[in-house]
């Protein structure tokens, strides 16, 4: 049986400019050199990471960085803590800095707040590369939380400054701000969420309602992938999360379905094209 699926890719999905910038920098160097070290996965998408490691990208962690000398190392879009730059100077490492401009601006704001002796709270995912870099601006003093319930029993100062990881939900950020105000705290809130990410919520709402089925393509490590998939699921219950083409299942579909494909800011367009081709072969 031929399913005859009508498949459309969301034109607003795919890499954000910060990821595009980092990948282009890596590819430019790998066109001329055999290898390039990258501190952490260049993007939270295993398929794209494999494509680049096949070209010579070498992914290392912070422990391996300490053993490296006289080499080039790419800093990905998520940014890094000041200690990384200090280590690079000590080990004579050349840093290719592809930190996202939005993240760099946020790092500077947090550092200025810390220098002004403000108490800082960061709404972000524990252990996330961007959040580690942000907390590093405060010498590790900022309090990181990913859910409001974590603050229920925390001893917070009466007055503090609230920041957010750039890929968090705007609605959730403002809900947290309102809840903290209602608890009697004096909150100076800085909405530092990337609009290229937050605008996708609205774009996705409008996209997914046009289809019988929705395939959301994202790496499992992607923070905004989880958030954006929740948006898909909220507005179209027949939404499915996949990371690779192999995860597609035929029994999700009915003949002549209209299928929409969308993805995270870390999902490459080539992977969504691959998913489209597979669906059209059913």
């Amino acid at each position: 049986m031929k399913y005859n699926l009508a498949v459309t890719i969301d034109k607003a999905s795919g890499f954000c400019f910060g990821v595009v910038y980092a990948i282009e920098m890596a590819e430019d160097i790998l066109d001329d050199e055999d290898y390039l070290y990258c501190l952490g996965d260049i993007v939270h998408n295993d398929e794209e990471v494999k494509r680049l490691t096949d070209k010579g990208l070498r992914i290392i962690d912070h422990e391996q960085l300490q053993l490296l000398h006289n080499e080039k190392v790419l800093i990905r879009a998520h940014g890094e803590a000041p200690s990384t730059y200090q280590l690079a100077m000590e080990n004579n490492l050349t840093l290719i800095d592809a930190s996202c401009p939005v993240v760099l601006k946020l790092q500077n704001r947090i550092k200025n707040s810390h220098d002004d002796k403000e108490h800082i709270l960061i709404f972000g995912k524990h252990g996330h590369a961007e959040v580690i870099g942000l907390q590093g601006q405060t010498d590790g003093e900022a309090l990181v939380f990913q859910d409001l319930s974590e603050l229920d029993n925390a001893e917070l100062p009466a007055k503090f400054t609230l920041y957010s990881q750039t890929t968090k939900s705007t609605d959730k950020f403002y809900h947290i701000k309102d809840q903290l105000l209602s608890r009697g705290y004096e909150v100076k809130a800085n909405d530092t969420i990337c609009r290229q990410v937050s605008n996708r919520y609205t774009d996705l709402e409008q996209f997914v309602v046009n289809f019988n089925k929705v395939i959301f393509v994202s790496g499992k490590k992607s923070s905004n992938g989880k958030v954006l998939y929740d948006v898909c699921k909220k507005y179209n219950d027949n939404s499915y999360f996949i990371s690779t083409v192999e995860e597609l299942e035929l029994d999700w579909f009915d003949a002549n379905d209209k299928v929409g494909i969308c993805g995270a800011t870390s999902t490459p367009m080539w992977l969504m094209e691959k998913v489209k081709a597979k669906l059209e072969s059913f």
Side-chain angles (χ1 to χ4, degrees):
M1 171 187 167
K2 183 77 175 155
Y3 277 73
N4 195 34
L5 303 174
V7 188
T8 306
I9 296 175
D10 174 25
K11 292 289 181 278
S13 284
F15 290 153
C16 61
F17 72 85
V19 172
V20 170
Y21 178 61
I23 288 172
E24 283 180 350
M25 286 182 88
E27 288 184 317
D28 285 348
I29 291 169
L30 291 171
D31 283 344
D32 298 326
E33 301 179 25
D34 292 337
Y35 67 92
L36 172 66
Y37 288 102
C38 178
L39 187 53
D41 286 347
I42 191 167
V43 62
H44 286 152
N45 186 283
D46 291 343
E47 301 289 291
E48 179 67 2
V49 169
K50 184 182 183 309
R51 184 183 75 83
L52 290 164
T53 52
D54 287 347
K55 281 181 164 239
L57 195 69
R58 298 179 181 177
I59 308 294
I60 58 169
D61 59 24
H62 285 83
E63 282 183 24
Q64 291 165 309
L65 183 73
Q66 291 178 3
L67 305 174
L68 214 58
H69 293 79
N70 314 312
E71 293 281 5
K72 282 184 185 171
V73 181
L74 182 81
I75 302 293
R76 59 202 171 151
H78 300 98
E80 278 294 323
S83 55
T84 299
Y85 294 87
Q86 182 62 39
L87 179 67
M89 287 173 63
E90 292 166 6
N91 287 9
N92 195 33
L93 299 172
T94 303
L95 294 184
I96 313 299
D97 200 339
S99 299
C100 171
V102 178
V103 174
L104 284 178
K105 185 178 177 184
L106 172 54
Q107 286 186 349
N108 287 330
R109 289 178 70 175
I110 288 179
K111 185 181 186 309
N112 289 337
S113 288
H114 178 66
D115 290 346
D116 290 341
K117 303 289 189 285
E118 294 175 8
H119 293 287
I120 297 166
L121 267 66
I122 300 171
F123 170 45
K125 182 180 176 184
H126 293 296
H128 189 280
E130 180 190 323
V131 174
I132 292 168
L134 298 177
Q135 199 177 21
Q137 308 303 317
T138 70
D139 297 325
E141 291 176 20
L143 174 64
V144 173
F145 68 99
Q146 61 188 44
D147 197 81
L148 197 56
S149 61
E150 293 175 44
L151 303 180
D152 289 348
N153 300 313
E155 284 194 23
L156 300 178
K159 178 181 178 181
F160 51 79
T161 303
L162 178 65
Y163 287 99
S164 172
Q165 180 181 344
T166 59
T167 52
K168 282 295 181 188
S169 157
T170 316
D171 289 347
K172 196 166 181 188
F173 175 79
Y174 282 104
H175 172 71
I176 286 167
K177 175 197 168 186
D178 291 342
Q179 287 293 309
L180 291 170
L181 286 170
S182 73
R183 294 180 187 186
Y185 296 108
E186 188 180 332
V187 183
K188 179 177 162 188
N190 292 276
D191 176 356
T192 50
I193 293 162
C194 174
R195 285 302 177 260
Q196 206 181 359
V197 175
S198 62
N199 288 346
R200 293 202 180 179
Y201 304 149
T202 312
D203 292 341
L204 272 186
E205 287 170 25
Q206 295 168 355
F207 178 76
V208 299
V209 294
N210 300 308
F211 301 94
N212 306 112
K213 309 286 161 55
V214 170
I215 302 299
F216 185 83
V217 188
S218 170
K220 291 179 173 66
K221 298 177 194 168
S222 169
S223 288
N224 80 76
K226 293 181 181 69
V227 175
L228 292 174
Y229 174 63
D230 287 344
V231 174
C232 293
K233 198 75 178 159
K234 181 179 176 182
Y235 292 94
N236 188 327
D237 198 43
N238 293 312
S239 295
Y240 300 91
F241 186 110
I242 67 166
S243 296
T244 66
V245 175
E246 289 72 31
E247 290 172 27
L248 285 170
E249 293 188 25
L250 200 53
D251 60 9
W252 292 343
F253 307 99
D254 297 304
N256 303 310
D257 266 349
K258 287 172 67 181
V259 183
I261 299 173
C262 44
T265 57
S266 51
T267 304
M269 188 55 74
W270 65 261
L271 183 54
M272 288 186 280
E273 296 278 6
K274 201 171 166 185
V275 171
K276 182 176 189 277
K278 182 69 174 176
L279 289 172
E280 288 174 341
S281 75
F282 285 168

